[in-house]
Amino acid sequence: MSSQARSRSKPGGGKAGGKRGEDDLWPENEAAQPKGKILIGALLALLLLVGGVVWFFVQKGGDELEVPPGSHLPDVYVPQSASPESTALSQRASDIRAFTEGEVFGDFKEVAYRDYTFTLVKSEISTDCVRAAWGDLVLQTLRRGECSQVARGAYLSKDKKHAGVFTAINMVDAKSAQQVLNSLDPALKGGFIRPPEFPGVKDFGSGFTAAYSQAIGHYVIMSWVGRAGGEQPRAMNELIDGSLAVQKPEEFAWGRLVQLEPRR
């Protein structure tokens, strides 16, 4: 499956800063309907025309949320529910092999999309999901969904002007993966993923950044990007294109799906 096509649908919950109940975060029935992938050209046109609808511009931090040092919320967060294509990967019970650093990042030491080329400068995989995140809501959601692994990779662009973080989270099932997508919404001020140590970038996330997340079966995938110096981009497609490069390691999840398909 190509990572050059991604549907970035409107996050659930309406306006930025809207309050959600517990049922929206841990629903008995799936609240979000899966969206199919669409061509990137059409996606960019949609984002540029109705950006105010599909992007969440939120205030960082807040009196009700204590943000740990070195941790930040993105200014833009766009989640996407799992597509029907990944149904066979919905249960970790059918995909029990833990992912490895070589599987996730081995073929993606360098990633590119359009004018953006990034090099992997730091990567790690941890079974301590709590260490890889912060915030009561996010940590509680990871625990409830029996998170077993978090992979994080730090990418720096060839010209040193942009930085990005790739994250993959191994949850027990697709429902739990969707709940993680919900809990990461900065409008809820419930926490976020901690970026890994980032050689060449000071305090990643402290400037203007955008995060794009999706569920692929029981995996949560996220690319989080911004200018290395923290400046606001000239246009949002600068971060969209950068994120499509940084998200390339997601191919490991589609590879897992291909391995399962003969059993369907």
Side-chain angles (χ1 to χ4, degrees):
M1 302 267 179
S2 171
S3 62
Q4 294 183 4
R6 178 200 303 193
S7 170
R8 288 174 177 156
S9 53
K10 181 181 177 182
K15 298 179 181 179
K19 188 174 181 180
R20 296 184 184 179
E22 182 171 312
D23 290 343
D24 295 318
L25 294 165
W26 300 301
E28 290 300 322
N29 298 306
E30 290 296 339
Q33 296 298 318
K35 309 291 183 183
K37 292 189 176 183
I38 62 175
L39 294 176
I40 186 64
L43 169 63
L44 290 177
L46 176 63
L47 288 177
L48 292 173
L49 287 172
V50 293
V53 176
V54 297
W55 296 335
F56 275 359
F57 290 85
V58 299
Q59 194 83 24
K60 289 191 176 184
D63 294 337
E64 69 276 25
L65 177 67
E66 183 177 346
V67 181
S71 300
H72 302 282
L73 294 170
D75 297 88
V76 177
Y77 175 69
V78 184
Q80 180 197 329
S81 302
S83 74
E85 296 172 295
S86 64
T87 299
L89 200 60
S90 293
Q91 301 291 327
R92 190 166 64 204
S94 63
D95 177 42
I96 60 173
R97 181 169 52 89
F99 54 63
T100 66
E101 196 164 342
E103 181 185 11
V104 177
F105 297 109
D107 292 333
F108 299 99
K109 306 286 180 148
E110 185 172 283
V111 295
Y113 182 75
R114 292 188 175 171
D115 298 331
Y116 299 90
T117 300
F118 291 81
T119 300
L120 183 69
V121 294
K122 175 77 174 181
S123 64
E124 62 178 52
I125 290 179
S126 176
T127 56
D128 187 352
C129 299
V130 171
R131 186 177 67 84
W134 63 274
D136 290 344
L137 177 60
V138 171
L139 294 177
Q140 185 179 3
T141 306
L142 291 172
R143 290 190 187 101
R144 286 183 61 140
E146 300 176 35
C147 175
S148 63
Q149 292 178 284
V150 177
R152 292 174 295 168
Y155 283 91
L156 188 60
S157 67
K158 207 168 191 178
D159 60 8
K160 314 296 186 192
K161 293 182 178 179
H162 294 82
V165 172
F166 172 85
T167 301
I169 306 174
N170 191 342
M171 302 300 292
V172 70
D173 55 26
K175 178 180 178 180
S176 298
Q178 178 63 49
Q179 290 162 357
V180 172
L181 295 186
N182 294 347
S183 70
L184 289 170
D185 180 353
L188 297 177
K189 300 185 185 296
F192 210 68
I193 299 299
R194 295 180 188 270
E197 291 183 13
F198 218 122
V201 177
K202 184 179 179 180
D203 201 15
F204 176 82
S206 60
F208 189 95
T209 60
Y212 302 93
S213 66
Q214 61 175 315
I216 302 177
H218 67 93
Y219 295 110
V220 175
I221 302 295
M222 186 172 70
S223 53
W224 182 12
V225 294
R227 288 197 174 185
E231 304 91 346
Q232 185 164 329
R234 287 188 296 270
M236 280 308 300
N237 61 330
E238 179 181 323
L239 299 189
I240 294 169
D241 287 356
S243 76
L244 287 169
V246 171
Q247 91 169 43
K248 296 279 182 148
E250 72 167 17
E251 294 298 334
F252 89 89
W254 294 115
R256 292 290 183 98
L257 179 63
V258 170
Q259 294 171 17
L260 291 172
E261 281 178 340
R263 305 177 193 176
R264 295 172 67 181

